[in-house]
Amino acid sequence: MEADEDTADIKSTLKNQDLSFLQSNVAVLLSEYGWYLVFLCIGIYVVLQHLLKKRPRQEQSGTSGDPDPVSVVRRQEAMEAARKKMQEELDAKAALFLEKQRELDEEKSKQKIDKWESMKEGKSFKGNSKISQNSDEASSSTVLKPKSDKKTLRNDGYSPLSGGAGGSCAWRPGRRGPSAGG
C-alpha cells in the first residue's frame, strides 16, 4: 500500500510541475557549451552538404540498371580493334628488330671471316685497314730512346703540381675522419 501511495505522490508532483526547470537547464547548457554546439551544427551541415553533392556523381557514373547491350558490344569491339592495332605495331617493331639483329650477325660473321683470312695471309689481324710494314721499318720503330735527366723533363713543361702533361699521380686531400692510431 505504501508503494501505491508513493507512486501516486510522484505522479501528482510530475503533473503539477511546470517547464521552468527545463528552461533553466537549457539556459545553463547553452551558456556553458553554446559555442561548441554552434560549431558542431555547422560541421554536421558541411558534412551533409558534401555527402549530398557526392551522391549524384556516383549515381551518374553507375547508370541506373543494366547498360544498353548494344553500347557494351560497341565498346568491346572498339577495345578489341585497339588491341589488335597495338599488337600489329608491336609485331612490326619486333620484325624490324630481328632484321637488324640478322644484319649485325652477318656483318660480325663477315668480319670474323676477313680476320681469319688476313691471319692466314700473315697480315695484321685488325683487318685490311693497316698495311703490313717492312722489316726495316719495324726495326727502326723499336729503337730505344735515351733517357734524359730531370732538368730537361722540367724544362719540357712538366710540373708535378699541374696534374697534367703525363704522370698518373695527382695530389688528393687526406681523409677527414680521425686518424687511425693504436
Side-chain angles (χ1 to χ4, degrees):
M1 283 211 236
E2 288 182 17
D4 290 336
E5 290 177 5
D6 289 335
T7 56
D9 286 338
I10 292 174
K11 286 181 183 178
S12 66
T13 57
L14 286 177
K15 286 182 182 178
N16 292 336
Q17 286 182 349
D18 56 358
L19 298 177
S20 63
F21 81 95
L22 186 64
Q23 289 176 349
S24 63
N25 287 341
V26 169
V28 169
L29 278 174
L30 286 178
S31 67
E32 289 183 15
Y33 303 108
W35 287 111
Y36 298 115
L37 291 173
V38 169
F39 289 130
L40 180 68
C41 291
I42 291 172
I44 290 172
Y45 176 76
V46 169
V47 169
L48 287 176
Q49 290 298 319
H50 181 69
L51 292 176
L52 289 176
K53 285 181 182 178
K54 228 177 192 185
R55 178 180 274 172
R57 289 184 198 157
Q58 292 173 351
E59 289 175 0
Q60 289 173 358
S61 64
T63 59
S64 61
D66 294 328
D68 185 25
V70 175
S71 64
V72 170
V73 170
R74 282 190 211 144
R75 190 177 324 127
Q76 287 178 349
E77 288 174 353
M79 286 175 57
E80 187 66 31
R83 287 180 184 146
K84 187 180 274 187
K85 181 181 176 184
M86 288 179 7
Q87 185 65 40
E88 289 172 357
E89 290 175 3
L90 184 65
D91 291 342
K93 287 180 183 178
L96 286 173
F97 178 76
L98 287 175
E99 185 64 31
K100 286 181 182 180
Q101 287 292 70
R102 268 192 229 119
E103 289 175 5
L104 286 174
D105 290 342
E106 289 175 8
E107 188 175 321
K108 285 182 181 179
S109 65
K110 283 182 182 178
Q111 287 178 356
K112 285 183 180 181
I113 291 170
D114 291 343
K115 189 178 187 181
W116 179 252
E117 289 175 357
S118 67
M119 286 178 66
K120 277 186 177 178
E121 295 173 5
K123 294 182 182 177
S124 172
F125 64 90
K126 293 191 178 185
N128 296 333
S129 63
K130 289 189 176 181
I131 302 172
S132 62
Q133 298 177 349
N134 294 337
S135 62
D136 296 334
E137 294 174 8
S139 65
S140 66
S141 65
T142 58
V143 175
L144 296 175
K145 296 180 183 177
K147 292 184 179 180
S148 58
D149 59 327
K150 291 182 181 179
K151 289 183 181 178
T152 58
L153 283 176
R154 288 191 184 124
N155 290 339
D156 288 339
Y158 171 74
S159 173
L161 297 178
S162 67
S168 62
C169 295
W171 180 82
R172 294 185 182 168
R175 288 182 38 178
R176 297 181 79 183
S179 63

